[in-house]
Amino acid sequence: MAASDRVALGPLVGSIDQGTSSSRFLVFNAKTAELLSHHQVEIQQKFPKEGWVEQDPKEILKSVYECVERTCEKLQQLNIDITNIKAIGVSNQRETTVVWDKITGEPLYNAIVWLDLRTQSTVERLLKRIPGNNKSFFKFRTGLPLSTYFSAVKLRWLLDNVEEIRQAVDNGRAMFGTIDSWLIWCLTGGKNGGVHCTDVTNASRTMLFNIHSLDWDPELCQFFDIPMEILPKVRSSSEIYGLMKSGALTGVPISGCLGDQSAALVGQMCFQDGQAKNTYGTGCFLLCNTGQKGSVAIAGAVVRWLRDNLGIVKTSQEIEKLAAEAGTSYGCYFVPAFSGLYAPYWEPSARGIICGLTQFTNKKHIAFAALEAVCFQTREILDAMNKDCGIPLSQLQVDGGMTNNKVLMQLQSDILCIPVVKPSMPETTALGAAMAAGAAEGVGIWSLNPGDLTAVTCERFEPQINPEESEYRYARWKKAVMKSMGWETSEAPSNGDTSIFCSLPLGFFIMSSMVMLIGAKYVSGNDK
């Protein structure tokens, strides 16, 4: 194709969006934020034991390469010159933990996925070393409670249980990283000079990162008994880390990196204190630009469970239809604490319950209660966030696959008593990583000045019930939450199975923390 035949669009930015269920590569116009093309490849999850969730790091890397190549082919079919791609950003599933051999370039074990629960006994053992068994002991340094969720306990488990990893550490060959580190190291050369780094958003989810010094904390590393030499270098979220070393985009700088939910906050352009967004997808993540502080919470998901375990519906989309037909839960409340309650409760003994059932209750009411549960959980975290921030939220910006469910969006507005705003361009995670990459020093093709940002068209959901009814339903939900607690113990069952947890990869994970980190302007999320 002659150069004169190609479409002139100006500078473009690519975005690698590596999620729990798939990898994608998307290309945006740096001037208009228009999505030009993308490709997606699904990722397999492995469940070797109950409560264990793993992925193959090599499969993840291969999927990223495939997405990049296929997207470039699609652009060329559209007469778009791929040499106009001037930068690449990375967004990734957070907390998922990888250890690899820097000499061979091979992973030393499967990636332990963020929602994996095998480390419960590790957490309990570590708690015994903390005064008063206080799981919030490190909160001032990390913003996080001690939990199975974060990377440090996953890494501790690997060091305790995988001989190959212990030997690699002893021989000075081991490298640790979350998925962003693994990808950037491989894409910039791997064993032949790859860059071993992470950004502050991902580092802040490890429990090894000091949110005040903005670097790895030696005392935390000592507590977890993790050698600091295996950790990646902490960098800002918007700078040139290195160049692509293979494929169609060889030589293009990788210059943006944010954990997926942090990237979505940027993509939603929540640049002012008090702005917040909620992402409804595999997980449900609530993040707020709170200036200097924030809070973190986790709750359980229900829609997949209703489909895969109970068979109430064949597809997730049917939930909306059932809930709409019901129009109410008829006093039924669903607490999806499949693997315990997290913030604001941090109660691992809780388990999921459905209560308030009568002979009149049917699957439509349960479907409605499931959607309400998502909204009530968001309300709990938003209340805590408003209290911590002192800046009551005037509207909630939303994104993610479940925002196509209009019943859910209307319920969310009703339960929060504020408008819910959904952008017409749903790819905010990939967009945020692209914005960070394009704005990096040395690239400079994407302006983050508010006056230069493209206006976003939105769909708006306004509250349709009175606040008194909303408060009544919310109070009943909290009563149900109390009844879900104290259900389990950490003692191994008599059948020899040491796991008490459900193995399903479920989780509506509601996270709230400050994650606007462009260049050196990092403000940490601090759990309250």
Side-chain angles (χ1 to χ4, degrees):
M1 181 190 305
S4 59
D5 295 332
R6 293 173 179 156
V7 179
L9 293 172
L12 312 178
V13 179
S15 183
I16 296 167
D17 182 6
Q18 206 299 300
T20 312
S21 57
S22 70
S23 298
R24 301 188 303 159
F25 185 67
L26 307 91
V27 174
F28 296 90
N29 186 319
K31 297 300 182 185
T32 65
E34 177 189 2
L35 174 61
L36 300 176
S37 187
H38 76 283
H39 190 79
Q40 180 170 351
V41 173
E42 289 191 1
I43 301 295
Q44 182 182 1
Q45 295 185 37
K46 306 172 188 292
F47 309 102
K49 293 185 181 180
E50 186 178 358
W52 293 28
V53 189
E54 298 177 358
Q55 291 178 325
D56 181 353
K58 294 174 72 174
E59 181 190 353
I60 290 174
L61 178 63
K62 181 181 177 182
S63 71
V64 168
Y65 275 122
E66 181 180 346
C67 289
V68 171
E69 296 301 314
R70 297 291 86 79
T71 302
C72 288
E73 290 173 4
K74 292 177 182 179
L75 289 171
Q76 290 170 328
Q77 291 169 4
L78 295 170
N79 293 348
I80 296 173
D81 189 351
I82 63 172
T83 63
N84 284 336
I85 299 176
K86 303 300 182 185
I88 295 171
V90 176
S91 69
N92 59 285
Q93 51 171 310
R94 302 175 299 177
E95 297 94 15
T96 297
T97 300
V98 187
V99 180
W100 66 95
D101 188 315
K102 65 183 178 183
I103 305 300
T104 66
E106 293 291 312
L108 296 170
Y109 193 83
N110 277 336
I112 299 182
V113 179
W114 51 277
L115 44 72
D116 184 282
L117 294 168
R118 76 186 67 187
T119 55
Q120 183 62 35
S121 59
T122 305
V123 169
E124 291 171 359
R125 189 177 74 249
L126 292 168
L127 268 176
K128 292 176 181 177
R129 297 172 48 201
I130 295 175
N133 293 339
N134 180 8
K135 56 194 170 189
S136 297
F137 186 75
F138 296 118
K139 192 184 294 184
F140 176 75
R141 293 190 190 201
T142 66
L144 309 171
L146 185 61
S147 164
T148 60
Y149 192 26
F150 306 111
S151 306
V153 290
K154 293 175 167 59
L155 180 53
R156 184 64 258 156
W157 186 93
L158 288 168
L159 292 167
D160 289 338
N161 292 278
V162 182
E163 178 62 29
E164 193 175 1
I165 288 180
R166 284 199 296 268
Q167 290 180 358
V169 169
D170 291 342
N171 296 332
R173 298 166 64 109
M175 284 183 164
F176 153 78
T178 42
I179 294 297
D180 57 307
S181 298
W182 165 245
L183 290 178
I184 291 174
W185 185 79
C186 292
L187 295 173
T188 58
K191 62 183 180 181
N192 298 314
V195 178
H196 189 210
C197 69
T198 189
D199 86 301
V200 283
T201 59
N202 283 292
S204 70
R205 308 299 297 170
T206 62
M207 283 208 81
L208 300 173
F209 180 79
N210 188 306
I211 61 177
H212 306 288
S213 67
L214 305 183
D215 208 345
W216 303 122
D217 189 300
E219 292 184 13
L220 288 170
C221 291
Q222 183 177 14
F223 174 80
F224 287 101
D225 194 17
I226 290 172
M228 296 187 71
E229 58 268 20
I230 73 173
L231 304 179
K233 180 176 175 58
V234 180
R235 309 274 287 271
S236 75
S237 298
S238 181
E239 62 176 276
I240 296 175
Y241 313 113
L243 305 179
M244 288 280 286
K245 289 295 176 66
S246 63
L249 299 182
T250 298
V252 177
I254 299 174
S255 54
C257 179
L258 301 104
D260 50 9
Q261 303 311 320
S262 309
L265 192 68
V266 176
Q268 285 269 29
M269 302 179 193
C270 296
F271 295 148
Q272 298 179 358
D273 289 5
Q275 288 185 297
K277 71 88 202 172
N278 204 19
T279 296
Y280 301 77
T282 301
C284 183
F285 300 81
L286 178 60
L287 291 90
C288 178
N289 183 335
T290 59
Q292 298 293 323
K293 53 188 177 179
S295 40
V296 177
I298 302 175
V302 292
V303 172
R304 244 185 184 175
W305 184 79
L306 292 176
R307 182 193 68 191
D308 296 342
N309 287 43
L310 294 192
I312 285 178
V313 294
K314 293 181 179 178
T315 67
S316 298
Q317 290 72 27
E318 290 179 44
I319 293 288
E320 179 178 9
K321 182 175 182 292
L322 284 179
E325 289 174 358
T328 175
S329 69
Y330 200 75
C332 171
Y333 289 88
F334 198 147
V335 181
F338 295 123
S339 53
L341 288 168
Y342 291 74
Y345 304 102
W346 297 105
E347 183 50 69
S349 70
R351 285 296 176 271
I353 64 169
I354 303 175
C355 58
L357 301 177
T358 70
Q359 286 184 315
F360 180 73
T361 306
N362 60 37
K363 66 180 182 179
K364 296 178 182 179
H365 301 123
I366 293 175
F368 192 97
L371 296 185
E372 268 196 322
V374 175
C375 301
F376 286 133
Q377 291 169 112
T378 302
R379 165 74 187 268
E380 284 199 297
I381 307 310
L382 201 57
D383 283 356
M385 186 187 299
N386 285 337
K387 181 179 179 181
D388 288 343
C389 302
I391 311 171
L393 197 65
S394 59
Q395 67 177 31
L396 180 66
Q397 295 170 225
V398 300
D399 55 60
M402 282 193 73
T403 60
N404 292 324
N405 187 324
K406 294 183 185 296
V407 173
L408 176 65
M409 294 297 95
Q410 186 58 57
L411 272 173
Q412 190 68 87
S413 179
D414 290 345
I415 289 168
L416 296 179
C417 300
I418 58 174
V420 167
V421 180
K422 174 189 172 185
S424 56
M425 206 292 286
E427 304 295 350
T428 54
T429 297
L431 177 61
M435 291 166 67
E441 185 177 353
V443 179
I445 58 173
W446 203 310
S447 172
L448 298 184
N449 293 325
D452 297 332
L453 295 173
T454 305
V456 178
T457 57
C458 296
E459 184 177 5
R460 191 176 179 92
F461 298 85
E462 299 280 352
Q464 293 183 355
I465 65 174
N466 62 53
E468 290 76 17
E469 180 182 348
S470 176
E471 291 301 321
Y472 174 79
R473 285 156 61 177
Y474 183 43
R476 299 271 285 184
W477 152 261
K478 292 177 79 71
K479 182 179 179 181
V481 169
M482 293 299 111
K483 293 183 181 298
S484 75
M485 294 186 184
W487 194 263
E488 272 292 357
T489 69
S490 60
E491 297 174 359
S494 58
N495 64 5
D497 186 349
T498 58
S499 173
I500 61 171
F501 295 108
C502 165
S503 63
L504 293 173
L506 303 176
F508 264 93
F509 281 69
I510 303 178
M511 323 285 303
S512 69
S513 59
M514 173 51 209
V515 281
M516 230 314 283
L517 353 149
I518 297 302
K521 297 179 180 178
Y522 172 65
V523 188
S524 167
N526 195 11
D527 185 55
K528 292 290 178 187

